[in-house]
Amino acid sequence: MANDIHSNKNKLAIEGGTPIRKELLPYGKQFVEQKDIDAVIKVLESDWLTTGPTVMEFEKQFAEQVGAAHGVAVNSGTAGLHCAVYAAGIKSGDEVITSPMTFMATANCIRYQGAKVVFADVEPDTLNIDPEKIKKCITPKTKAIIAVDFTGHPANLEAIGEIAKNNNLAFIEDAAHALGTTYKGQKVGSIADMTTFSLHPVKHITTGEGGLVVTDDSNLAERLRRFRNHGITRDHHQRQEQGIWSYDMEEIGYNYRLTELNSVLGISQLQKLPILLERRKEIAARYNDAFSKISQLTPPTAHLDCESAWHLYVVKLNLENLNKNRDEIFQALRAENIGVNVHYIPVPWLAYYQKLGYKRGAWPIAESNYYRLLSLPMWPGMTDDDVEDVILAVEKVLSAYQK
Ligand SMILES: *Cc1c(COP(=O)(O)O)cnc(C)c1O
């Protein structure tokens, strides 16, 4: 739009040209409406602020939405992962296999329980953990696998579930990107032993901060609930209902409880999930169409037997066709006011993991792709003009830097 009125529209903003947009378009953003705000205010005026009837209602609706029997709400996706690792019985001396191409929390939750993180390399197309690489990482100490649905595209859940079953391992799915994803017709949330979700503002729906673990197993659900409430074996509601005051704590837990305020926002947000998912799909389709014509990048892979929830739209730069690297292209797009991002620095490269002795080079697919990855803005409140601005900016920068 704005660029039509300027004569220097082809000159890159980073070189002094006019940016495609006047203000930065973020890579992700929450979608909060007046209805959400009203719902939160109503709870503030009620008797319950922390874990009460709204939390339970939210858990029920969320679990139903993703096709699971039980939902346990917690105050972050990270807390959900920690609860899941605890519920799976992971402790010091155990090993848990996960992906290097994820947010650090997926690996950190294993460390919280004192166990060893074993990173298995990813598949070159989806950048999801590779079942063949998982098999090579299994030892007598392995107790669980945490798969991640990177960007919202499901991991190879059937193969991973099979490996878990054959080796008697817990199968945890970090579905922080995948609320609304389906895999071979099944909903993510109804497949792994435990599936965790995040309700951070950049995710599909938000509660400010928050998360959920869903499972079909009532014993696991019980362990999850206990862990989120200090490890107490009788919670406030059970105490009230049973009219008794006594409580005990057999194993240590945390205060990972979600509040009523967060939960009512969650219920309100959940109602618009179908619309939010639909908009993400539309944006992805428009991007796919535009970017399939550009030789300097590869649009994301989408397997035919799955439906991605499109949390992120991550392209791979074809560096052999470009005379600038990813970081320079990132800077040039930021100068155009397009809020690009990078997901993710391989987790074993982070200083904490380096200090633990993880050596670069052990995950060649994740590590070589990292240099090519660029996340483009993707959130349901983007207008059609916003989407076109991103496409224009990508075309502008990549054609200027074409080899
Ligand atoms: C967002 C995210 C988390 C953590 O969620 P929080 O709610 O921010 O704690 C974990 N794993 C992945 C893959 C994520 O993207």
Side-chain angles (χ1 to χ4, degrees), residues 75-81 101-106 148-150 174-177 196-203 208-211 311-312 343-344:
N75 53 22
S76 72
T78 304
L81 283 163
M101 185 48 68
T102 183
F103 185 58
M104 60 196 77
T106 319
V148 183
D149 305 310
F150 178 64
D174 177 350
H177 297 186
T196 68
F197 295 90
S198 164
L199 304 167
H200 179 280
V202 299
K203 305 289 162 61
E209 295 276 0
H311 164 55
L312 297 174
H343 298 89
Y344 290 101

Side-chain angles (χ1 to χ4, degrees), residues 48-59:
W48 285 101
L49 294 186
T50 188
T51 317
T54 312
V55 177
M56 284 181 241
E57 181 58 27
F58 180 43
E59 289 177 332

Side-chain angles (χ1 to χ4, degrees), residues 192-296:
D193 297 331
M194 286 177 276
T195 307
T196 68
F197 295 90
S198 164
L199 304 167
H200 179 280
V202 299
K203 305 289 162 61
H204 294 87
I205 64 166
T206 189
T207 57
E209 295 276 0
L212 266 120
V213 189
V214 301
T215 181
D216 280 343
D217 183 324
S218 54
N219 289 324
L220 288 174
E222 176 65 36
R223 286 176 63 78
L224 293 165
R225 287 181 201 287
R226 211 186 309 143
F227 195 67
R228 95 174 148 185
N229 191 31
H230 307 279
I232 295 172
T233 45
R234 220 187 277 277
D235 79 14
H236 188 82
H237 281 277
Q238 288 168 305
R239 288 207 300 276
Q240 198 172 52
E241 274 164 24
Q242 295 166 8
I244 48 171
W245 55 267
S246 85
Y247 53 85
D248 201 359
M249 187 198 99
E250 287 168 35
E251 286 184 73
I252 196 139
Y254 290 74
N255 177 354
Y256 280 157
R257 297 189 305 260
L258 193 67
T259 74
E260 293 279 286
L261 305 180
N262 301 113
S263 301
V264 80
L265 183 53
I267 291 171
S268 179
Q269 290 262 303
L270 204 50
Q271 284 168 1
K272 33 179 176 268
L273 180 63
I275 302 165
L276 300 181
L277 285 169
E278 197 47 45
R279 181 60 185 153
R280 285 178 183 271
K281 269 174 207 166
E282 272 173 24
I283 296 168
R286 176 67 191 113
Y287 278 166
N288 285 341
D289 181 50
F291 297 142
S292 62
K293 300 175 185 104
I294 302 183
S295 63
Q296 300 97 320

Side-chain angles (χ1 to χ4, degrees), residues 89 284 395:
E395 286 170 348

